[in-house]
Amino acid sequence: MLGNHSSATEFYLLGFPGSRELHHILFAIFFFFYSVTLMGNTVIIVIVCVDRRLQSPMYFFLGHLSALEILVTTNIVPMMLWGLLLPGMQTISLAACVTQLFLYLSLGTTEFALLGAMAVDRYVAVCNPLRYDIIMNSRTCIWVVIMSWVFGFLSEIWPIYATFQLTFCKSNVVNNFFCDRGQLLNLSCNNTLFIEFILFLMAVFILFGSLIPTIISYTYIISTIIKIPSVSGRRKAFSTCASHFTYVVIGYGTCLFLYVKPKQTQAAEYNRVASLMVLVVTPFLNPFIFTLRNEKFIEVFRDVMKRCSQLLKG
C-alpha cells in the first residue's frame, strides 16, 4: 500500500492467477499464438508489397491492418510472456506504463478507423464497380490511411493525460497483465466518475463513428448482392466482403464489451479475458480470416513461394 498523499512512480502487474505449472502452459499457448501472429501478418505485408497483382486498395488497407496487429501485440504480449516465466509480480515504471497504454489505445483506435474505411472500400467495389478505380485511387487510399493513423494517435492524447493526472494512492498493484486503464482507475484516490463518463463518450464516438459507416456500407452491399441474378455472381460478390465482415464482427464485438460502458472499473477477470481476445486471439485470426478463402491471395502466395524456392536452388 502507498501513503495517503503519495502517488505511484511504478506499478506491479499481477498477471495471471494460478500455479507455476499453469503459467508455463499459458506461456506455451500464448507464445504459439504470438509467433503465428507475427509470421502470418508479416507474410501478408511482404506479399502485398512485392506482387503487383495485389496492388489494389483492399490489399493496401489489409497490409496496414496487418502492421497494426503486429504493433498491438508486440506492445504488450512479449512483456506478458516474460511475466508468465517470472515468480511473483512484474514491475513496470510509470513512464513505461504511460507509453504502453497510449500505444495500446492509439493503435486500437487507428485499427477501427481503418476498418471503417475498408467497409466503404467494399461498398464502392460491390455497389459502384465501374467507378471503383476513380473513387478509390492511390491518392485517396494514402490519405485515408494517413488520417486513420493521425486520428488514432491524436484522439488518445487527452484520455492518457487525464488518466495519469490522477493520484494513485490506494495501491500500485494492477490486477491485469498490462497497464489496463480500468484497473488504473481502480487504484486512484480521486473521484473518477467524471473522467469515466468522458472516456465512455469518447469510446462511443470512436467505435460507433467507424461502426455506423460499416453498417450502412453492408446494408447497401447486401441489398446489391440480393439483386444479382446468378448464384455464382452473388457468391463472388459476397466472397469479396466475407473476410472483412467476419473480422468486423469479432473485433467490434469484443471491444464493445470491453470499452463501451459507463463504468470503466469493472471486474478484473472480465477485463483480463476481453483483453486477451483483443491482444492475442483477434491478431492471431487475422491472417486466416483474410487469406484462407481468398483464392487470389493464395495463388500469389504460391507463386511467391515458387520464386523463392527457385532462387534458393539457383
Side-chain angles (χ1 to χ4, degrees), residues 7-248:
S7 188
T9 55
E10 63 179 19
F11 296 96
Y12 293 97
L13 304 178
L14 202 56
F16 294 89
S19 64
R20 296 296 302 154
E21 290 76 17
L22 176 61
H23 283 193
H24 291 153
I25 292 168
L26 290 175
F27 174 85
I29 294 169
F30 295 149
F31 181 77
F32 170 75
F33 273 57
Y34 180 57
S35 300
V36 173
T37 298
L38 289 183
M39 288 187 291
N41 285 291
T42 301
V43 165
I44 289 174
I45 294 168
V46 170
I47 290 180
V48 167
C49 290
V50 301
D51 198 286
R52 281 186 161 275
R53 286 170 290 178
L54 300 182
Q55 302 296 308
S56 68
M58 182 178 79
Y59 295 106
F60 177 69
F61 293 141
L62 178 57
H64 280 269
L65 183 65
S66 295
L68 282 166
E69 297 289 29
I70 290 172
L71 292 172
V72 165
T73 53
T74 303
N75 177 42
I76 292 171
V77 173
M79 190 173 184
M80 178 189 77
L81 292 172
W82 181 241
L84 286 168
L85 295 177
L86 292 174
M89 293 183 287
Q90 244 181 322
T91 306
I92 184 170
S93 68
L94 179 63
C97 188
V98 172
T99 303
Q100 187 186 68
L101 185 59
F102 176 66
L103 288 174
Y104 170 63
L105 295 174
S106 299
L107 293 167
T109 302
T110 303
E111 191 168 316
F112 284 119
L114 195 59
L115 284 173
M118 290 174 77
V120 175
D121 170 68
R122 292 300 84 207
Y123 158 73
V124 178
V126 174
C127 302
N128 207 343
L130 297 178
R131 298 191 62 203
Y132 180 72
D133 290 334
I134 298 170
I135 297 170
M136 300 303 296
N137 57 64
S138 59
R139 176 182 282 187
T140 301
C141 293
I142 290 167
W143 270 108
V144 165
V145 166
I146 290 172
M147 292 307 296
S148 296
W149 283 89
V150 170
F151 171 73
F153 278 77
L154 290 182
S155 65
E156 295 299 336
I157 291 174
W158 183 85
I160 293 297
Y161 173 78
T163 299
F164 287 97
Q165 283 298 297
L166 298 170
T167 304
F168 303 104
C169 58
K170 290 181 181 178
S171 172
N172 60 347
V173 178
V174 179
N175 192 1
N176 210 329
F177 56 86
F178 74 107
C179 280
D180 173 36
R181 184 168 63 192
Q183 296 306 309
L184 287 170
L185 293 175
N186 267 332
L187 305 181
S188 174
C189 50
N190 305 98
N191 186 343
T192 61
L193 193 62
F194 176 72
I195 187 174
E196 286 187 56
F197 179 66
I198 298 299
L199 293 174
F200 166 71
L201 292 181
M202 290 189 70
V204 169
F205 173 75
I206 289 167
L207 284 171
F208 284 93
S210 58
L211 185 58
I212 288 170
T214 302
I215 292 170
I216 294 171
S217 296
Y218 274 103
T219 302
Y220 280 104
I221 287 168
I222 292 167
S223 65
T224 301
I225 290 173
I226 290 170
K227 293 174 186 176
I228 297 173
S230 67
V231 175
S232 61
R234 287 197 296 269
R235 188 181 293 114
K236 185 179 179 181
F238 183 74
S239 67
T240 63
C241 310
S243 55
H244 176 262
F245 182 77
T246 304
Y247 190 87
V248 162

